[in-house]
Amino acid sequence: MIKPHYLTLLLALIAFAPTVQGALRCGASLVSDDAWPIEVEERCGPPDYIAEYPSAAVPGLGVVQTEMHWYYNPGPQRFIRRLIFRNGKLARVETLGYGFHTTNMGTCDPGTLRHIQNEYELITRCGEPASKRVEWRMPTSRRRSETWQVLQPVLVQEWLYDFSRNQFRQVVTLKNGRVVDIESRPGR
């Protein structure tokens, strides 16, 4: 049985222990929210893929806010991590599906697209699309238990792949970097 004074000491240590929320561990280093991209690269190494998107523009001024997505692929035994930077500081770290080996990827075809889960995997396996559409959309508001949820804009992309004359074009729809739909379109 645990003595009361040991239990009190344990609870005090837990209560006063420093907490790190949204942190990313890279080897022995820890990267916290609000880190600069250079700090992340120093601790975690260069990312496997970077995508940058304008997230706000003012007429006459142009782009005033950007969002960068950094992808780290540690291989098939661990999960892909996506780091989202807003205006030059780390805003969020997401865990995606299992990583993969980038060597011997083979060719990309409509069958390959059906198994791809995120933007990084799509660009790695199939390369740049023939054409791209990118826009920010506001989700529909929903009332949840007497309070309104905070609405965050959603990055929606449509990537068009044109494989060959005898196959339909494929439009891959991504929401916030994740593949959500694949649609066949007649070609020429």
Side-chain angles (χ1 to χ4, degrees), residues 5-47:
H5 66 282
Y6 286 125
L7 184 59
T8 304
L9 178 62
L10 181 63
L11 290 173
L13 287 174
I14 291 171
F16 293 110
T19 59
V20 180
Q21 294 181 334
L24 170 69
R25 181 165 296 283
C26 293
S29 298
L30 198 60
V31 177
S32 62
D33 285 348
D34 294 340
W36 292 73
I38 189 70
E39 294 172 330
V40 174
E41 191 166 356
E42 288 170 350
R43 292 181 180 112
C44 303

Side-chain angles (χ1 to χ4, degrees), residues 3-172:
K3 295 183 180 181
H5 66 282
Y6 286 125
L7 184 59
T8 304
L9 178 62
L10 181 63
L11 290 173
L13 287 174
I14 291 171
F16 293 110
T19 59
V20 180
Q21 294 181 334
L24 170 69
R25 181 165 296 283
C26 293
S29 298
L30 198 60
V31 177
S32 62
D33 285 348
D34 294 340
W36 292 73
I38 189 70
E39 294 172 330
V40 174
E41 191 166 356
E42 288 170 350
R43 292 181 180 112
C44 303
D48 295 299
Y49 177 65
I50 298 175
E52 187 169 354
Y53 304 101
S55 58
V58 174
L61 290 178
V63 174
V64 295
Q65 192 169 12
T66 60
E67 185 169 295
M68 283 193 324
H69 299 181
W70 284 22
Y71 290 86
Y72 285 93
N73 176 10
Q77 302 299 317
R78 296 176 50 205
F79 293 111
I80 294 172
R81 295 314 252 322
R82 179 171 71 164
L83 283 62
I84 298 173
F85 292 89
R86 288 202 181 99
N87 292 327
K89 66 180 182 179
L90 183 60
R92 191 168 73 239
V93 177
E94 296 177 345
T95 301
L96 304 177
Y98 279 104
F100 52 88
H101 292 296
T102 57
T103 56
N104 302 326
M105 296 302 285
T107 60
C108 182
D109 58 33
T112 304
L113 290 176
R114 307 278 180 245
H115 301 286
I116 293 176
Q117 298 177 13
N118 60 63
E119 175 183 23
Y120 165 65
E121 189 176 359
L122 183 60
I123 204 78
T124 303
R125 293 184 187 274
C126 298
E128 286 290 333
S131 188
K132 240 186 219 188
R133 291 181 184 163
V134 177
E135 67 178 308
W136 291 90
R137 294 184 190 159
M138 289 303 290
T140 56
S141 60
R142 289 178 278 176
R143 190 178 161 126
R144 220 192 288 170
S145 64
E146 302 303 321
T147 60
W148 291 94
Q149 69 183 25
V150 176
L151 297 179
Q152 294 291 327
V154 175
L155 176 63
V156 178
Q157 303 175 69
E158 293 177 330
W159 292 15
L160 178 94
Y161 284 94
D162 193 3
F163 293 108
S164 70
R165 291 191 177 273
N166 63 351
Q167 293 180 340
F168 286 118
R169 291 178 174 156
Q170 302 293 309
V171 177
V172 180

Side-chain angles (χ1 to χ4, degrees), residues 170-181:
Q170 302 293 309
V171 177
V172 180
T173 303
L174 300 109
K175 285 187 180 175
N176 284 334
R178 296 176 192 261
V179 175
V180 295
D181 188 38

